[in-house]
Protein backbone atom coordinates (compact mmCIF):
# COMPACT_ATOMS: atom_id res chain seq x y z
CA UNK A 1 0.00 0.00 0.00
CA UNK A 2 2.89 2.38 0.69
CA UNK A 3 4.06 2.07 -2.92
CA UNK A 4 0.59 2.93 -4.19
CA UNK A 5 0.39 5.90 -1.84
CA UNK A 6 3.76 7.23 -3.03
CA UNK A 7 2.78 6.72 -6.67
CA UNK A 8 -0.57 8.55 -6.40
CA UNK A 9 0.82 11.35 -4.24
CA UNK A 10 3.48 11.95 -6.88
CA UNK A 11 0.99 11.67 -9.77
CA UNK A 12 -1.72 13.88 -8.25
CA UNK A 13 -0.87 17.21 -9.88
CA UNK A 14 -0.38 15.63 -13.30
CA UNK A 15 -3.55 13.55 -12.89
CA UNK A 16 -5.57 16.65 -11.99
CA UNK A 17 -4.51 18.37 -15.21
CA UNK A 18 -5.22 15.44 -17.52
CA UNK A 19 -8.61 15.47 -19.25
CA UNK A 20 -10.98 12.54 -19.10
CA UNK A 21 -9.98 10.36 -22.03
CA UNK A 22 -13.45 9.16 -23.01
CA UNK A 23 -15.92 11.86 -22.04
CA UNK A 24 -18.83 10.10 -23.76
CA UNK A 25 -18.37 7.00 -21.58
CA UNK A 26 -17.87 9.11 -18.46
CA UNK A 27 -21.08 11.05 -19.09
CA UNK A 28 -22.92 7.79 -19.74
CA UNK A 29 -21.62 6.33 -16.46
CA UNK A 30 -22.60 9.47 -14.55
CA UNK A 31 -26.08 9.43 -16.11
CA UNK A 32 -26.59 5.78 -15.15
CA UNK A 33 -25.20 6.37 -11.66
CA UNK A 34 -27.57 9.29 -11.08
CA UNK A 35 -30.57 7.03 -11.74
CA UNK A 36 -29.73 5.16 -8.52
CA UNK A 37 -29.24 8.24 -6.35
CA UNK A 38 -31.88 10.00 -4.26
CA UNK A 39 -31.74 13.47 -2.79
CA UNK A 40 -31.60 12.18 0.81
CA UNK A 41 -28.82 9.63 0.13
CA UNK A 42 -25.54 9.51 2.00
CA UNK A 43 -22.90 8.28 -0.42
CA UNK A 44 -19.38 6.97 -0.03
CA UNK A 45 -17.01 7.21 -2.97
CA UNK A 46 -13.77 5.27 -2.58
CA UNK A 47 -10.83 6.08 -4.81
CA UNK A 48 -12.21 9.55 -5.54
CA UNK A 49 -8.96 10.91 -6.97
CA UNK A 50 -9.20 14.68 -7.34
CA UNK A 51 -12.92 14.71 -6.58
CA UNK A 52 -14.48 15.39 -9.97
CA UNK A 53 -17.11 12.67 -9.72
CA UNK A 54 -18.08 13.48 -6.13
CA UNK A 55 -18.42 17.15 -7.04
CA UNK A 56 -20.49 16.33 -10.13
CA UNK A 57 -22.85 14.11 -8.13
CA UNK A 58 -23.03 16.38 -5.07
CA UNK A 59 -26.12 18.21 -6.32
CA UNK A 60 -28.15 14.99 -6.47
CA UNK A 61 -27.63 13.68 -2.92
CA UNK A 62 -27.63 14.89 0.70
CA UNK A 63 -23.98 14.13 1.44
CA UNK A 64 -20.93 12.44 -0.03
CA UNK A 65 -17.91 11.16 1.84
CA UNK A 66 -15.22 10.91 -0.82
CA UNK A 67 -12.03 9.08 0.06
CA UNK A 68 -8.71 8.46 -1.61
CA UNK A 69 -5.48 6.91 -0.44
CA UNK A 70 -3.52 9.96 -1.61
CA UNK A 71 -3.47 13.03 0.58
CA UNK A 72 -2.30 15.05 -2.43
CA UNK A 73 -5.36 13.96 -4.42
CA UNK A 74 -7.57 14.93 -1.47
CA UNK A 75 -5.91 18.36 -1.19
CA UNK A 76 -6.71 19.03 -4.85
CA UNK A 77 -10.29 17.79 -4.37
CA UNK A 78 -10.82 20.08 -1.37
CA UNK A 79 -9.51 23.02 -3.36
CA UNK A 80 -11.91 22.24 -6.23
CA UNK A 81 -14.84 21.97 -3.80
CA UNK A 82 -13.96 25.34 -2.31
CA UNK A 83 -13.72 26.92 -5.79
CA UNK A 84 -17.09 25.42 -6.77
CA UNK A 85 -18.77 26.31 -3.48
CA UNK A 86 -19.71 22.69 -2.77
CA UNK A 87 -20.28 22.06 0.93
CA UNK A 88 -21.95 18.63 1.09
CA UNK A 89 -18.84 16.63 0.19
CA UNK A 90 -16.34 15.61 2.85
CA UNK A 91 -13.01 14.63 1.31
CA UNK A 92 -10.84 12.32 3.41
CA UNK A 93 -7.46 10.68 2.88
CA UNK A 94 -8.17 7.05 3.70
CA UNK A 95 -8.28 3.54 2.34
CA UNK A 96 -11.50 1.53 2.73
CA UNK A 97 -10.42 0.26 6.14
CA UNK A 98 -9.70 3.70 7.64
CA UNK A 99 -11.73 5.27 10.41
CA UNK A 100 -12.10 8.48 8.39
CA UNK A 101 -14.81 6.96 6.25
CA UNK A 102 -16.85 6.15 9.33
CA UNK A 103 -18.08 3.01 10.99
CA UNK A 104 -21.68 3.27 9.79
CA UNK A 105 -23.24 2.43 6.48
CA UNK A 106 -24.09 4.39 3.35
CA UNK A 107 -27.09 4.33 1.04
CA UNK A 108 -24.73 4.08 -1.93
CA UNK A 109 -21.07 3.13 -2.19
CA UNK A 110 -19.19 4.02 -5.38
CA UNK A 111 -15.92 2.45 -6.53
CA UNK A 112 -15.36 3.74 -10.05
CA UNK A 113 -12.23 2.76 -11.96
CA UNK A 114 -10.70 1.40 -8.79
CA UNK A 115 -11.16 -2.33 -8.23
CA UNK A 116 -8.47 -3.32 -10.76
CA UNK A 117 -5.95 -1.30 -8.72
CA UNK A 118 -6.66 -3.00 -5.38
CA UNK A 119 -4.09 -5.45 -4.01
CA UNK A 120 -6.43 -7.45 -1.75
CA UNK A 121 -9.63 -7.44 -3.78
CA UNK A 122 -11.36 -10.02 -1.61
CA UNK A 123 -10.88 -8.13 1.67
CA UNK A 124 -11.73 -4.82 0.02
CA UNK A 125 -14.97 -6.14 -1.48
CA UNK A 126 -15.95 -7.62 1.88
CA UNK A 127 -15.34 -4.26 3.55
CA UNK A 128 -17.27 -2.38 0.88
CA UNK A 129 -20.23 -4.73 1.27
CA UNK A 130 -20.23 -3.97 5.00
CA UNK A 131 -20.43 -0.25 4.23
CA UNK A 132 -23.58 -0.54 2.09
CA UNK A 133 -26.85 -0.07 3.93
CA UNK A 134 -29.21 -3.06 3.57
CA UNK A 135 -31.23 -2.30 0.44
CA UNK A 136 -28.57 0.15 -0.71
CA UNK A 137 -26.38 0.05 -3.79
CA UNK A 138 -22.77 -0.72 -4.56
CA UNK A 139 -21.91 0.83 -7.91
CA UNK A 140 -18.64 -0.04 -9.58
CA UNK A 141 -17.06 0.33 -12.98
CA UNK A 142 -13.57 -0.94 -13.56
CA UNK A 143 -11.12 -2.05 -16.18
CA UNK A 144 -10.92 -5.77 -16.88
CA UNK A 145 -7.33 -6.86 -17.29
CA UNK A 146 -6.58 -10.13 -18.99
CA UNK A 147 -3.21 -11.71 -19.19
Amino acid sequence: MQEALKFWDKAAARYAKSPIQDMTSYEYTMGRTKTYLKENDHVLEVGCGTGSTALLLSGTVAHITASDLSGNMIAIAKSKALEEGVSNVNFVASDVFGDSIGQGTYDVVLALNLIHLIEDTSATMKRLSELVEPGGYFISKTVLLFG
Side-chain angles (χ1 to χ4, degrees), residues 18-91:
S18 64
I20 295 171
Q21 292 181 2
D22 186 350
M23 186 55 83
T24 301
S25 292
Y26 180 74
E27 289 172 347
Y28 176 78
T29 299
M30 291 300 95
R32 292 270 302 157
T33 300
K34 286 179 181 179
T35 66
Y36 293 95
L37 302 177
K38 297 184 282 304
E39 65 182 32
N40 61 338
D41 280 346
H42 285 77
V43 176
L44 171 66
E45 182 187 8
V46 294
C48 73
T50 59
S52 297
T53 296
L55 294 171
L56 179 71
L57 297 175
S58 66
T60 61
V61 298
H63 187 268
I64 299 176
T65 299
S67 69
D68 197 276
L69 184 63
S70 167
N72 290 350
M73 291 281 195
I74 293 300
I76 293 167
K78 285 179 178 181
S79 177
K80 288 165 62 172
L82 190 61
E83 282 178 24
E84 295 179 27
V86 174
S87 60
N88 67 330
V89 179
N90 180 32
F91 289 104

Side-chain angles (χ1 to χ4, degrees), residues 6-8 11 17 36 39 45 50 55 57 68 75 79 82 84 90 99 103 109 112 114 127-128 131 137 145 147:
K6 287 179 187 176
F7 173 84
W8 289 110
K17 292 177 186 173
Y36 293 95
E39 65 182 32
E45 182 187 8
T50 59
L55 294 171
L57 297 175
D68 197 276
S79 177
L82 190 61
E84 295 179 27
N90 180 32
D99 291 337
Q103 298 303 313
V109 173
L112 304 174
L114 173 72
R127 173 67 174 139
L128 291 174
L131 292 167
Y137 294 104
L145 301 173

Side-chain angles (χ1 to χ4, degrees), residues 71-140:
N72 290 350
M73 291 281 195
I74 293 300
I76 293 167
K78 285 179 178 181
S79 177
K80 288 165 62 172
L82 190 61
E83 282 178 24
E84 295 179 27
V86 174
S87 60
N88 67 330
V89 179
N90 180 32
F91 289 104
V92 296
S94 179
D95 66 11
V96 298
F97 302 99
D99 291 337
S100 300
I101 61 172
Q103 298 303 313
T105 57
Y106 296 85
D107 300 299
V108 179
V109 173
L110 304 173
L112 304 174
N113 301 310
L114 173 72
I115 302 301
H116 66 284
L117 300 172
I118 301 296
E119 290 177 28
D120 189 346
T121 308
S122 196
T124 299
M125 295 304 292
K126 182 179 185 308
R127 173 67 174 139
L128 291 174
S129 71
E130 294 167 354
L131 292 167
V132 179
E133 181 75 25
Y137 294 104
F138 170 65
I139 300 172
S140 180

